[in-house]
Amino acid sequence: MPVLVNDLILSITDNKWVFLLLVNILLLIMGMFMDGGAAVIILAPILAPVAASMGISLVHFGIVMCLNLTIGCITPPLGYCLFITGKIGKISIEDTVRGTMPYLIGEIIVLLLITYIPVLVTFVPSVLGYAI
């Protein structure tokens, strides 16, 4: 099964930057509809071997995956954290979305930075002597 998924994704693109863009889009959408833990359990065994075959560090890919799913949980229309914080703060969903937009924009900028500049994520582990 993993070989079939790997072949399917590699038939779409063999460029690791395009693959990371597609994964970012997929995970942001998945994060809107699913809990992050469940999405990691479902998608990591499928996507990690493909990322490894493209030469992407699994540490880098794991951080990108987790940040994507975290951003997805505060992204409208169905980000479940929006509903939770709205209920706790006793404010409407519209006000909650309006209040989180600056943070959402900042998180997306950070996501793009760590996605396309992998050294931001892998620098500390490589300095500590871990093989990345």
Side-chain angles (χ1 to χ4, degrees):
M1 175 80 172
V3 175
L4 294 174
V5 173
N6 192 357
D7 291 341
L8 174 69
I9 293 173
L10 289 175
S11 72
I12 295 170
T13 182
D14 59 350
N15 185 336
K16 73 179 185 177
W17 305 116
V18 174
F19 169 73
L20 285 170
L21 176 68
L22 294 174
V23 166
N24 280 341
I25 293 167
L26 171 72
L27 291 174
L28 284 172
I29 293 169
M30 291 294 291
M32 282 188 243
F33 298 103
M34 288 183 75
D35 178 54
V40 167
I41 290 171
I42 293 169
L43 294 173
I46 297 169
L47 296 175
V50 179
S53 72
M54 290 187 170
I56 299 169
S57 165
L58 292 180
V59 172
H60 174 236
F61 187 71
I63 298 293
V64 167
M65 224 177 145
C66 291
L67 185 59
N68 265 302
L69 294 169
T70 302
I71 293 170
C73 80
I74 66 163
T75 304
L78 295 175
Y80 64 91
C81 285
L82 293 174
F83 295 102
I84 293 170
T85 54
K87 285 290 184 186
I88 291 172
K90 296 180 178 75
I91 58 175
S92 68
I93 297 300
E94 294 82 15
D95 290 338
T96 306
V97 170
R98 202 172 301 116
T100 59
M101 274 304 150
Y103 298 104
L104 184 63
I105 292 167
E107 285 182 340
I108 290 173
I109 290 169
V110 169
L111 174 67
L112 291 173
L113 285 172
I114 69 165
T115 298
Y116 295 109
I117 307 173
V119 73
L120 295 174
V121 174
T122 59
F123 175 72
V124 172
S126 64
V127 167
L128 294 174
Y130 294 102
I132 300 296

